[in-house]
């Protein structure tokens, strides 16, 4: 099976712009979670989507949003970019928590640089 | 709020020695504890996990122990090899709720 994929892999944006990142989960996986990784804050949870619904949300401002499509692919959007949004954005997919399959598998990440 | 503390932040060992990384979690409802290995420039890779109904789990040179009463869990790597060098993250969650990650341990294995 193909692993989790993310596009684009690298992105450079200017302060004030917005950005959309995409994540395709492992085939059959219905849950997609997003994390922000920075040297200072480590790995922090953004949100999780399951069956096109946001099921969990972390402590990030409303500028960070996401959605999931019927094929389980997910996108996250960051509006009004700030310098502090520069980070590696990782998505992870999971089979289905209801079946006790909690394992999350990560994609390669999108490296976002805000200038 | 929910929190996972991880120690040490850096660990240097000689090849062949053992390495132990410890984590403590705050949310007593947590029931799933994975460990991830992240090599430089790579994605975090799930290497082992443990559920709250199990006290210990082993996979070749890697083992994880869980003490629910004390709310801490540890990663044990035996017979370390240079390719074990990476950053290791522990995490805790309740079912598929958000993973709360520790701050990471940079392990260096010297030949």
């Amino acid at each position: 099976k193909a692993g989790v994929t993310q596009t684009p892999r690298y992105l450079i944006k200017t302060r004030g712009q917005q950005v959309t990142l995409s994540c395709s989960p492992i085939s059959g996986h219905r849950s997609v979670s997003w994390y922000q990784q920075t040297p200072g804050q480590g790995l922090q949870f953004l949100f999780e989507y399951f069956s096109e619904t946001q099921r969990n949300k972390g402590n990030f401002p409303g500028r960070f949003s996401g959605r999931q499509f019927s094929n389980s692919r997910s996108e996250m959007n960051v509006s009004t970019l700030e310098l502090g949004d520069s980070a590696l954005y990782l998505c992870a997919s999971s089979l289905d928590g209801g079946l006790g399959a909690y394992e999350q598998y990560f994609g390669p990440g999108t490296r976002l640089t805000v200038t | 709020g929910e929190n996972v503390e991880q120690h040490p932040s850096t660990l240097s060992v000689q090849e062949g020695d053992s390495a132990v990384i410890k984590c403590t979690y705050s949310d007593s409802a947590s029931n799933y504890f994975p460990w991830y290995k992240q090599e430089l420039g790579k994605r975090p890779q799930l290497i082992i996990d443990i559920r709250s109904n199990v006290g210990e789990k082993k996979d070749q040179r890697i083992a994880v122990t869980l003490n629910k009463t004390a709310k801490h869990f540890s990663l044990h790597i035996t017979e370390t090899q240079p390719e074990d060098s990476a950053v290791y993250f522990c995490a805790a969650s309740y079912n598929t709720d958000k993973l709360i990650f520790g701050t990471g341990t940079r392990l260096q294995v010297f030949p």
Side-chain angles (χ1 to χ4, degrees), chain A residues 6-25:
Chain A
Q6 291 184 247
T7 56
R9 294 293 311 280
Y10 303 92
L11 208 47
I12 300 176
K13 289 287 188 178
T14 305
R15 269 181 303 176
Q17 288 186 315
Q18 74 164 18
V19 66
T20 299
L21 312 181
S22 181
C23 172
S24 293

Side-chain angles (χ1 to χ4, degrees), chain A residues 4 35 37 43 45 48 55-57 88 90 94 97 100-108, chain B residues 31-32 36 38 41-46 49 51 89 93 95-102:
Chain A
V4 179
Y35 296 85
Q37 186 173 30
L43 276 156
F45 173 80
E48 185 235 351
R55 191 160 64 172
N56 285 293
K57 190 177 189 305
L88 180 67
L90 293 157
S94 178
Y102 308 146
E103 297 83 356
Q104 293 191 25
Y105 298 94
F106 281 87
Chain B
N31 62 354
Y32 176 63
Y36 287 86
Q38 188 174 29
K42 301 270 184 78
R43 72 187 76 188
Q45 180 186 6
L46 179 66
D49 57 13
R51 313 268 172 119
F89 292 96
S93 75
N95 293 345
T96 53
D97 273 1
K98 55 189 175 184
L99 284 175
I100 305 299
F101 282 89

